[in-house]
Amino acid sequence: MNKSGTRTENRNESERGTLVVGVTGGIGSGKSAVADAFGALGIGWVDADHVAREVVMPGEPALAAIVGRYGPAILDGNGALDRRALRARIFDDETERRWLERETHPRIRQRLLMHLERLRNAGAPYCLLVSPLLIESGQLELVDRVLVVDVPPETQIQRTLARDGVDRRQVESILAAQLPRERRLAAADDVIDNSRDRQHLLDQVARLDARYRQRVF
């Protein structure tokens, strides 16, 4: 199977010996909750969002590039990146968003590879790469299977409003900039429906954990 034209089924599994499951979903879908549920079953993961924060920390080349483009007003009072200010700059401007991706994505990919190598060396039957941009960023090449966490768009909006304290227009801009739900689902090997209660989520994770451990697909 090669749904995106960039991934060959089981290529990474055969080369690495450890199954790498890519977990993705739109903003507010609950990727972190899914990763935590797998973690409770003893499975390690690397979160691309966390790595994205690492590469723009003070002293990092990517942060210097961002300040060079937008000026020191893009920093908070401690000299760290003001992520909310940056988000406001890029999500209404595709040119700026593409520029930021060119600056950060190669650095993120390099660190993801380092973290995945650590997880593979830990000896677990499988591990997770959690990334909102798994499909569209080229990170798809790093995984063996794609697990999509899916919820309706309105649920995404309401959860993000409650979590981040941003206005609805900004959340809708973020959704518009992300991969459409239909394309994300088309790339999925497995899907978790996270529109119901937590027990429903945990039951789905338990079933997938059993399949991943046994490699029954």
Side-chain angles (χ1 to χ4, degrees), residues 4-198:
S4 71
T6 60
R7 182 169 62 97
T8 302
E9 186 177 24
N10 294 330
R11 176 181 60 83
N12 291 324
E13 181 181 351
S14 63
E15 291 175 359
R16 299 172 182 171
T18 297
L19 187 73
V20 181
V21 179
V23 180
T24 193
I27 187 171
S29 60
K31 296 179 294 296
S32 294
V34 168
D36 286 340
F38 277 105
L41 299 174
I43 299 303
W45 78 88
V46 55
D47 189 320
D49 274 349
H50 294 170
V51 172
R53 292 184 179 93
E54 289 178 10
V55 303
V56 294
M57 291 179 66
E60 293 284 347
L63 181 59
I66 291 169
V67 173
R69 190 169 184 89
Y70 301 121
I74 205 70
L75 302 176
D76 64 20
N78 297 317
L81 179 65
D82 184 336
R83 297 182 66 84
R84 183 171 294 187
L86 179 64
R87 183 183 295 173
R89 291 263 190 157
I90 66 172
F91 275 108
D92 284 332
D93 190 325
E94 184 175 356
T95 299
E96 294 305 307
R97 188 170 66 252
R98 297 302 182 195
W99 175 85
L100 182 66
E101 290 171 353
R102 288 195 299 272
E103 284 293 327
T104 58
H105 283 186
R107 295 182 170 97
I108 292 168
R109 182 186 179 89
Q110 183 179 26
R111 295 201 186 191
L112 287 175
L113 286 168
M114 178 185 69
H115 288 299
L116 287 172
E117 183 64 22
R118 173 181 55 81
L119 289 171
R120 289 196 298 270
N121 289 337
Y126 69 95
C127 62
L128 310 178
L129 167 55
V130 183
S131 175
L133 300 177
L134 181 76
I135 297 166
E136 57 266 52
S137 69
Q139 294 168 8
L140 195 65
E141 298 175 354
L142 306 179
V143 306
D144 303 303
R145 293 187 70 78
V146 175
L147 169 57
V148 169
V149 185
D150 183 57
V151 296
E154 184 59 30
T155 302
Q156 292 180 261
I157 292 171
Q158 294 303 322
R159 288 179 179 174
T160 306
L161 290 173
R163 181 190 67 192
D164 295 348
V166 295
D167 62 43
R168 186 181 180 98
R169 185 191 66 83
Q170 191 172 47
V171 179
E172 289 175 344
S173 295
I174 295 170
L175 283 175
Q178 292 185 333
L179 197 70
R181 182 186 186 190
E182 294 77 12
R183 288 183 58 193
R184 191 182 297 116
L185 288 170
D189 296 300
D190 306 298
V191 177
I192 283 180
D193 171 13
N194 194 24
S195 63
R196 294 170 56 183
D197 59 29
R198 178 164 176 76

